[in-house]
Structure formats: C-alpha cells, structure tokens
Amino acid sequence: QVQLVESGGGLVQAGDSLRLVCAASGRTSSRPIMGWFRQAPGEEREFVAGINLIGATYYADSVKGRFTISRDNTKNTLYLQMNSLKPEDTAVYYCAARALKSAAISIKVGDAYDHWGQGTQVTVSS
C-alpha cells in the first residue's frame, strides 16, 4: 500500500503562486508513476500533470507553461509548482500514484491510478 498526503493549498489572488506537496509513504517503489488531478465543484475530475518513472513530464493544455511537476525520490515527495494562477484553477487538487504495469495507459487517465490522496483545496480569487 501507498499513502499519499497533499498539502500546500490555500486562498490566493489571481497571478499568485502556490506549491503543492504530496508526501508518499509505504511501498512507494511499487507506484512509480504519479500525477496531479483536480476537481472543481460540479465538474468532473481532470488531469493536471504527470511524471513517469524516468522523469518525463506531461501537462494539461490549460496549465502548460504555468505549472511544473517534479519529484524528489530521496524524500518520496511529489510537487506541483503553480504560477500565474487563474480563478479557473480553483479546485480540490489530488495527488495520485499507479504501478508501472499500467504504463501502456496514458498518464492522463485517472482511472489507471489506484492510490489517491485526500486532496487539498486551492482557491484563486479574481
């Protein structure tokens, strides 16, 4: 099992920055593919960013150029640096992890992830 705990959310103004942190514990080596997803009220969950075993990164078009995903394997920690935040970025942000055996499935597919954190709220005011 892998446990994921997000932190770093908050209330900011448009144009501000936030860094989300996802602390992983347990059998983290069994779940090397990780991603960030978000869900706004009344909306479906959507992919934000992902990082695979070799460190390749992927982004949703809506955040490309503003958000950066990274990981520190020595600390079992995943990050999401969010710059130039917009009101439409308001959502609960979730960290997720999945096994290497699912690598054939797009990193953007949320259903392929089998471990999720509890989420952290990000609110961007205009």
Side-chain angles (χ1 to χ4, degrees), residues 11 54 84:
L11 172 63
I54 61 172
S84 302

Side-chain angles (χ1 to χ4, degrees), residues 10-81:
L11 172 63
V12 297
Q13 293 186 332
D16 285 350
S17 298
L18 276 177
R19 187 177 77 157
L20 303 185
V21 180
C22 175
S25 60
R27 295 186 60 205
T28 56
S29 61
S30 69
R31 297 295 186 270
I33 302 172
M34 299 190 75
W36 288 97
F37 291 76
R38 68 187 181 187
Q39 187 167 20
E43 302 290 333
E44 293 188 353
R45 180 184 63 198
E46 65 173 354
F47 170 79
V48 176
I51 186 166
N52 68 11
L53 177 64
I54 61 172
T57 57
Y58 305 83
Y59 298 94
D61 289 342
S62 59
V63 307
K64 202 171 295 183
R66 299 188 298 122
F67 291 11
T68 302
I69 187 172
S70 62
R71 68 196 303 171
D72 185 338
N73 291 329
T74 65
K75 298 180 179 179
N76 288 330
T77 303
L78 182 72
Y79 304 97
L80 184 68
Q81 178 66 42

